[in-house]
């Protein structure tokens, strides 16, 4: 039944009941007596209450659809409004669900292109830092060493200090290049990359304890990169904001055959903070491989970042989409 006829019949039923009562026990004389006026006022109030109740009942599906529209979030896909029965509201609900499907697919495709382009740009910058800036600093370091060897005695301490400063800058450039382009991930795999990441962050006043369960399934490169980047972002947020002293970094096998990443610290927790660009970036990366990301306050204090990938191989459509996105991102 359409919304128009639904509202019309609800109001018509109330009016028909009122008319039948006037033909029956309810009569009005001239002039109107006090008792009759009270009966009419009571009848009017009853009709208004009945009309409000019936309208609320008839428009309940529209209210549910409104709530679904308000709470829709493309970074948390899968939530859909229930489309029951026939009529305009059911058609509107199904149309809204179809629109969400299309928007989620388009967002996933566009996010894949953006993140693939971002990874390609990171690789390019890391390569330039290593080849250009790194080699230049290495040449400067050698020249400073030669100058210190031939300089007068009173100038050598300053030249040695310049050497140490240049060497520290070179190490920092190499560290930035490693973070931009995780070569250990490409060369040695996810397990070694996570252990290297834990070792890197353990030098910043944190104790990062990596734990990788045995017997994990083979993952495709896109999933390994997402797991690595989420772990990297989680450790970065912990080092910057959590005030923690210990972090557990775990890669484990899920009951459905998938792989789960867990980053849990003993810091102050989220404290109701709004999600920033880092967390939104993690959610977008999780959508690329069909994973589920959960960020919450951990039991006993601290923050817990959990990324669970689905078991089984990824679909051919996902693999084709990722390949096409990488091609578009690296095209001149």
């Amino acid at each position: 039944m359409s919304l128009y006829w639904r509202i019309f019949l609800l109001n018509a039923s109330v009016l028909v009941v009122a008319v039948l009562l006037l033909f029956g026990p309810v009569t009005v004389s001239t002039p109107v007596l006090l008792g009759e006026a009270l009966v009419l006022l009571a009848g009017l109030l009853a009709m208004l209450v009945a009309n409000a109740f019936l309208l609320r009942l008839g428009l309940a599906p529209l209210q549910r659809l409104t709530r679904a529209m308000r709470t829709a979030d493309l970074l948390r896909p899968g939530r859909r409004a229930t489309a029951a029965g026939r009529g305009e509201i059911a058609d509107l609900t199904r149309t809204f669900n179809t629109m969400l499907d299309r928007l989620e697919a388009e967002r996933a495709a566009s996010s894949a292109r953006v993140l693939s382009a971002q990874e390609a740009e990171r690789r390019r910058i890391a390569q330039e830092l290593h080849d250009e800036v790194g080699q230049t600093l290495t040449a400067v370091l050698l020249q400073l060493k030669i100058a210190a060897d031939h300089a007068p005695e009173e100038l050598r301490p300053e030249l040695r200090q310049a050497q140490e400063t240049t060497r520290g800058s070179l190490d920092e450039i190499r560290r930035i290049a490693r973070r931009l382009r995780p070569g250990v991930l490409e060369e040695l795999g996810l397990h070694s990359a996570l252990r290297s990441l834990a070792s890197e962050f353990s030098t910043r006043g944190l104790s990062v304890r990596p734990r990788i369960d045995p017997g994990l399934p083979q993952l495709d490169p896109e999933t390994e990169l997402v797991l690595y980047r989420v772990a990297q972002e989680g450790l970065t947020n912990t080092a910057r904001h959590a005030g923690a002293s210990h972090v557990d970094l775990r890669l484990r096998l899920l009951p459905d055959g998938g792989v789960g990443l867990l980053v849990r610290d003993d810091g102050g927790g989220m404290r109701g903070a709004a999600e920033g660009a880092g967390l939104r970036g993690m959610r977008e990366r999780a959508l690329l491989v069909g994973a589920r990301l959960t960020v919450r306050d951990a039991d006993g204090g601290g923050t817990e970042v959990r990324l669970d990938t689905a078991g089984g191989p990824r679909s051919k459509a996902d693999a084709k989409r990722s390949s096409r996105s990488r091609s578009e991102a690296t095209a001149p």
Side-chain angles (χ1 to χ4, degrees), residues 25 28 72 75-76 105 117 134 136 173 203 238 249 264 276 305 325 328:
V28 180
L75 290 179
R76 296 177 175 83
T136 301
I173 289 294
T203 62
T238 299
L249 177 63
R264 179 188 292 143
V305 178
S325 299
E328 293 174 356

Side-chain angles (χ1 to χ4, degrees), residues 241-265:
H241 310 297
S245 58
H246 294 87
V247 184
D248 289 323
L249 177 63
R250 184 182 177 189
L251 195 66
R252 60 195 180 94
L253 182 65
L254 299 177
D256 62 353
V259 175
L261 174 72
L262 178 66
V263 181
R264 179 188 292 143
D265 62 61

Side-chain angles (χ1 to χ4, degrees), residues 144-163:
L144 286 173
K145 183 180 184 303
I146 296 174
D149 293 339
H150 296 84
E153 190 65 32
E154 61 272 12
L155 293 179
R156 289 184 179 180
E158 295 181 3
L159 291 174
R160 300 295 184 193
Q161 181 62 38
Q163 279 184 276

Side-chain angles (χ1 to χ4, degrees), residues 13 31 35 47 88 131 142 144 153 166 169 185-186 203 210 226 235 240 249 265 281 298 307 315 326 330:
S13 61
M47 285 191 298
E88 293 176 345
D131 295 343
L142 292 175
L144 286 173
E153 190 65 32
T166 305
S169 299
L185 177 63
E186 299 176 358
T203 62
V226 168
L235 291 175
R240 289 179 179 176
L249 177 63
D265 62 61
L307 179 70
S315 65
R326 289 197 303 272
T330 56

Side-chain angles (χ1 to χ4, degrees), residues 52-325:
F53 173 76
L54 292 175
L55 283 178
R56 178 175 293 274
L57 187 64
L59 297 177
L62 192 59
Q63 293 177 346
R64 289 195 295 268
L65 178 60
T66 302
R67 287 194 297 269
M69 291 180 174
R70 290 175 179 171
T71 57
D73 188 355
L74 296 181
L75 290 179
R76 296 177 175 83
R79 300 179 180 179
R80 296 291 183 269
T82 302
R86 301 177 180 178
E88 293 176 345
I89 297 180
D91 292 340
L92 182 62
T93 302
R94 283 187 284 268
T95 303
F96 173 70
N97 291 338
T98 303
M99 181 191 68
L100 276 185
D101 293 336
R102 185 174 64 253
L103 288 177
E104 289 177 359
E106 292 176 354
R107 183 182 179 89
S110 61
S111 297
R113 290 191 292 268
V114 169
L115 293 176
S116 297
Q118 185 184 77
E119 290 297 332
E121 186 67 11
R122 285 184 174 187
R123 286 193 295 270
R124 185 188 66 81
I125 295 174
Q127 192 70 28
E128 291 185 358
L129 286 175
H130 182 272
D131 295 343
E132 303 295 335
V133 182
Q135 292 181 5
T136 301
L137 289 178
T138 302
V140 171
L141 192 61
L142 292 175
Q143 292 172 358
L144 286 173
K145 183 180 184 303
I146 296 174
D149 293 339
H150 296 84
E153 190 65 32
E154 61 272 12
L155 293 179
R156 289 184 179 180
E158 295 181 3
L159 291 174
R160 300 295 184 193
Q161 181 62 38
Q163 279 184 276
E164 294 301 321
T165 302
T166 305
R167 185 176 290 109
S169 299
L170 182 59
D171 292 339
E172 183 67 15
I173 289 294
R174 289 172 176 170
R175 185 189 65 81
I176 294 174
R178 284 195 305 269
R179 294 198 64 191
L180 288 173
R181 180 176 181 265
V184 65
L185 177 63
E186 299 176 358
E187 298 168 4
L188 301 178
L190 181 62
H191 299 182
S192 298
L194 290 180
R195 291 192 177 94
S196 175
L197 193 64
S199 176
E200 176 185 346
F201 278 89
S202 293
T203 62
R204 303 184 178 184
L206 285 175
S207 174
V208 183
R209 297 168 292 196
R211 179 184 171 188
I212 299 176
D213 293 353
L216 295 178
Q218 185 70 27
L219 300 174
D220 56 88
E222 288 81 8
T223 302
E224 288 190 346
L225 182 59
V226 168
L227 289 167
Y228 179 84
R229 290 301 188 193
V230 170
Q232 187 181 53
E233 184 66 30
L235 291 175
T236 300
N237 290 338
T238 299
R240 289 179 179 176
H241 310 297
S245 58
H246 294 87
V247 184
D248 289 323
L249 177 63
R250 184 182 177 189
L251 195 66
R252 60 195 180 94
L253 182 65
L254 299 177
D256 62 353
V259 175
L261 174 72
L262 178 66
V263 181
R264 179 188 292 143
D265 62 61
D266 61 350
M270 300 184 66
R271 296 185 289 270
E275 291 191 0
L279 288 181
R280 288 195 295 270
M282 287 194 289
R283 294 194 184 280
E284 289 181 351
R285 289 183 181 277
L287 290 178
L288 296 182
V289 294
R292 183 176 65 257
L293 180 74
T294 305
V295 182
R296 65 181 185 89
D297 291 329
D299 298 334
T303 305
E304 178 181 282
V305 178
R306 186 186 300 270
L307 179 70
D308 295 336
T309 65
R314 294 173 63 193
S315 65
K316 294 182 179 179
D318 293 337
K320 186 181 297 182
R321 185 181 62 193
S322 299
S323 177
R324 182 173 62 252
S325 299

